[in-house]
Amino acid sequence: MSTSSVEAVVIGASAGALEALSAFLPTLPKDYALPVMIVVHLPPDKNSVMADLLKSKCKIDVREAEDKEPIRAATVYLAPPDYHLLVEPDKRLSLSSDDPVHFSRPSIDVLFESAADAYGPGLVGLVLTGGSSDGANGLRAVHQAGGQALVQDPATANVPLMPQSALEACPSARVMSLPEITTFLNHLVQPA
Amino acid sequence: MYNKTEDIELRLLLEAIYRRYHYDFRGYSMASVKRRLTQAQERFDCRSFSMLQDRVLHDPTLLPELLSFLTVQVSELFRDPSYFKAIREQVVPHLRTYPSLKVWVAGCSAGEELYSLAILMREEGLEDRTMFYGTDINPDALRRAEAGVFDLERMSLFTENHRRSGGKSSLSDYYTAGYGAAVFDKSLRRRAVFSDHSLVTDTVFAEVQLVSCRNVLIYFDRELQDRAVGLFKDSLIRKGFLGLGAKESLRFSQHADAFTEFSRESRIYQKRGTA
Ligand SMILES: C[S@@+](CC[C@H](N)C(=O)[O-])C[C@H]1O[C@@H](n2cnc3c(N)ncnc32)[C@H](O)[C@@H]1O
């Protein structure tokens, strides 16, 4: 498996998200060579707490995504509550207040499908724990565009439904435990 | 789907809509336009954007429904109550100093934002000296704004929003309920004009003290955002106010220097006093 051309990582998580993300985001170095875009399902009023919490734990820069912001390496972008997060073809982020997808805004499918379009084979998509089927179509789109599809092992996920649904929609996705995900993401980009 | 042919077709479809009907979506955020046109494609049973283009070009009756896919009509009365609270508490004291006022709500959808401001201005005793301009490109939304009728079931959310925005009365004072609908008091739009105006293709039409344009710029690419903000800049009097959506800012705007951050939290800007 060639990892030399990876340009970006997208991650989706729902119930149990904080615990799962906390297992590996803090291990990423400050100068991590890729951008990471994340959708976490949150009630709209839980304003940006997630970004602050993760920020306090991570070396890599963590922030809430802004509309039309150019995507940069070594940065984790979180979708703001109540907005969809998309990747534009020119590799900028955009926000939208379109209707919820799978009862969710932000929706994982919306991020993954737009990112698959923008990055094609250069994308890694990862679906983590959650009690929703959001992310399943998105992960399939990542795979169909030639990107790498990963799911958290449903057997080890806090809430298995979401990785399970993603795996059903995208059977060729690689199944990994959180420690395996940690190693994988850290080795995606080898120092030259 | 990673499909470059589809991107070509998408561009051609937008070009066709523009040339045939003069609705210009070519500079919108492509990722979300594509998403919504994919839904339209399914709705109209088309296998590709090219097929959809063929249908649209030859059948003008499709246009209204297509527009409803292309423009997002999600809105609420007093959406983001803290924004309206900031207008009420921080902007209104400045507005009071003018003998007559004009307020432009750009991208007004079915009128939710304009009615919110009209109610706010009435509560603050400024209604009688204010003209409200609501503009949008979606004719159906403008018709609904003109009617001022909303689903009754949305009123509990709107009432709560209004209360949290610092509302000085009860929202129910402003509408009559019946047959599942809330009909807003006609007097609220006595001083309101709703009209078809595009931030992409039209120009400035009035000199105003306040522009409220929320959750519209996120649908535009950077250049189009600059164009729209340029219109607001030209339309605003010196020291006039520009209110944006909760996740919008002038950070990447070419016109950022023409404004100061008036309320960072609430995304309210003030046009500089100097030329
Ligand atoms: C998501 S709604 C926002 C409604 C309201 N301002 C709010 O924040 O709740 C976006 C609105 O912008 C309108 N719009 C889209 N393109 C426009 C353009 N070029 N000029 C004016 N309005 C436009 C749409 O028709 C829609 O009513």
Side-chain angles (χ1 to χ4, degrees):
Chain A
M1 169 141 316
S2 153
T3 53
S4 57
S5 63
V6 173
E7 291 172 72
V9 178
V10 287
I11 300 174
S14 191
L18 185 61
E19 204 186 320
L21 292 169
S22 301
F24 58 85
L25 285 183
T27 71
L28 300 180
K30 195 175 161 46
D31 59 353
Y32 192 58
L34 301 172
V36 181
M37 278 77 80
I38 305 182
V39 163
V40 176
H41 294 160
L42 284 173
D45 51 320
K46 278 262 183 319
N47 238 320
S48 326
V49 195
M50 186 64 97
D52 291 338
L53 272 173
L54 288 174
K55 206 180 177 68
S56 68
K57 298 182 183 202
C58 291
K59 300 185 279 284
I60 186 172
D61 187 19
V62 180
R63 59 165 101 155
E64 202 172 83
E66 288 199 42
D67 182 55
K68 302 292 142 34
E69 174 167 25
I71 295 171
R72 297 200 196 293
T75 313
V76 172
Y77 299 96
L78 281 165
D82 212 26
Y83 286 81
H84 291 302
L85 174 65
L86 300 95
V87 178
E88 291 296 323
D90 65 357
K91 314 283 163 66
R92 284 175 186 263
L93 295 170
S94 68
L95 303 178
S96 98
S97 59
D98 288 26
D99 288 322
V101 175
H102 297 290
F103 309 104
S104 300
R105 187 173 57 211
S107 141
I108 301 165
D109 282 346
V110 171
L111 171 64
F112 279 31
E113 287 167 11
S114 62
D117 244 354
Y119 290 106
L123 186 67
V124 171
L126 166 61
V127 174
L128 297 171
T129 166
S132 158
S133 57
D134 190 18
N137 291 337
L139 196 69
R140 190 175 47 217
V142 171
H143 172 70
Q144 285 174 346
Q148 304 183 49
L150 316 178
V151 297
Q152 180 181 7
D153 184 353
T156 67
N158 204 315
V159 183
L161 179 66
M162 205 163 78
Q164 189 75 58
S165 310
L167 197 55
E168 277 159 26
C170 184
S172 52
R174 295 168 68 184
V175 178
M176 293 186 185
S177 66
L178 288 173
E180 285 164 342
I181 291 169
T182 308
T183 313
F184 180 88
L185 291 179
N186 276 285
H187 288 83
L188 261 183
V189 278
Q190 306 285 3
Chain B
M1 221 154 294
Y2 194 60
N3 181 343
K4 291 302 156 193
T5 308
E6 197 178 42
D7 287 344
I8 298 171
E9 293 178 283
L10 174 63
R11 293 281 166 189
L12 293 173
L13 170 58
L14 296 178
E15 191 65 34
I17 294 170
Y18 174 60
R19 296 215 190 169
R20 178 81 166 83
Y21 302 107
H22 308 290
Y23 282 100
D24 191 355
F25 294 99
R26 297 172 302 172
Y28 281 49
S29 302
M30 271 311 125
S32 62
V33 163
K34 184 168 182 182
R35 210 184 152 74
R36 278 174 277 118
L37 281 176
T38 303
Q39 290 164 357
Q41 181 188 317
E42 281 162 22
R43 160 71 186 80
F44 295 118
D45 270 328
C46 293
R47 255 183 301 104
S48 65
F49 288 147
S50 301
M51 244 173 105
L52 183 57
Q53 178 186 322
D54 185 67
R55 294 273 308 273
V56 173
L57 279 175
H58 298 288
D59 181 359
T61 64
L62 239 57
L63 187 68
E65 201 179 342
L66 192 67
L67 279 182
S68 74
F69 280 102
L70 279 164
T71 63
V72 177
Q73 300 301 327
V74 177
S75 191
E76 290 167 20
L77 259 83
F78 295 97
R79 177 184 197 170
D80 307 315
S82 61
Y83 171 79
F84 290 91
K85 199 169 174 93
I87 297 274
R88 189 190 294 274
E89 291 174 357
Q90 298 170 47
V91 176
V92 160
H94 292 266
L95 298 181
R96 274 189 207 295
T97 63
Y98 298 96
S100 77
L101 290 166
K102 286 181 181 158
V103 173
W104 176 16
V105 181
C108 65
S109 195
E112 293 89 341
E113 194 178 329
L114 189 144
Y115 284 104
S116 307
L117 287 169
I119 289 168
L120 188 158
M121 295 296 259
R122 179 176 294 185
E123 288 173 342
E124 297 301 327
L126 291 177
E127 189 194 19
D128 289 342
R129 58 172 108 156
T130 308
M131 277 299 299
F132 299 92
Y133 300 92
T135 59
D136 206 284
I137 57 167
N138 186 311
D140 182 51
L142 287 168
R143 257 193 310 276
R144 284 185 290 140
E146 198 79 60
V149 179
F150 300 96
D151 279 350
L152 197 56
E153 60 187 30
R154 301 173 75 197
M155 285 305 131
S156 61
L157 171 68
F158 294 176
T159 301
E160 175 63 8
N161 283 353
H162 173 243
R163 195 189 56 72
R164 287 170 56 204
S165 80
K168 293 181 171 163
S169 47
S170 162
L171 192 64
S172 59
D173 296 348
Y174 302 97
Y175 65 84
T176 9
Y179 304 103
V183 183
F184 274 74
D185 191 345
K186 278 199 174 50
S187 67
L188 279 173
R189 54 182 186 286
R190 206 177 43 207
R191 309 188 56 84
V193 180
F194 291 101
S195 44
D196 177 27
H197 177 280
S198 171
L199 296 169
V200 181
T201 48
D202 291 317
T203 53
V204 172
F205 59 89
E207 186 168 73
V208 306
Q209 279 76 15
L210 168 63
V211 174
S212 192
C213 180
R214 314 195 65 221
N215 303 298
V216 182
L217 295 181
I218 46 175
Y219 294 101
F220 294 173
D221 73 10
R222 282 273 311 99
E223 274 151 61
L224 218 50
Q225 290 186 349
D226 279 344
R227 184 189 195 276
V229 175
L231 289 186
F232 302 150
K233 187 184 81 175
D234 292 342
S235 183
L236 283 167
I237 61 157
R238 294 192 305 125
K239 302 262 187 190
F241 295 90
L242 169 63
L244 302 178
K247 298 295 166 192
E248 292 167 328
S249 80
L250 296 184
R251 207 179 122 198
F252 303 106
S253 171
Q254 149 196 337
H255 302 291
D257 290 347
F259 293 88
T260 56
E261 257 180 6
F262 181 77
S263 164
R264 173 190 275 270
E265 276 291 277
S266 303
R267 312 291 168 129
I268 299 171
Y269 295 83
Q270 184 172 29
K271 187 173 151 180
R272 285 185 192 277
T274 49

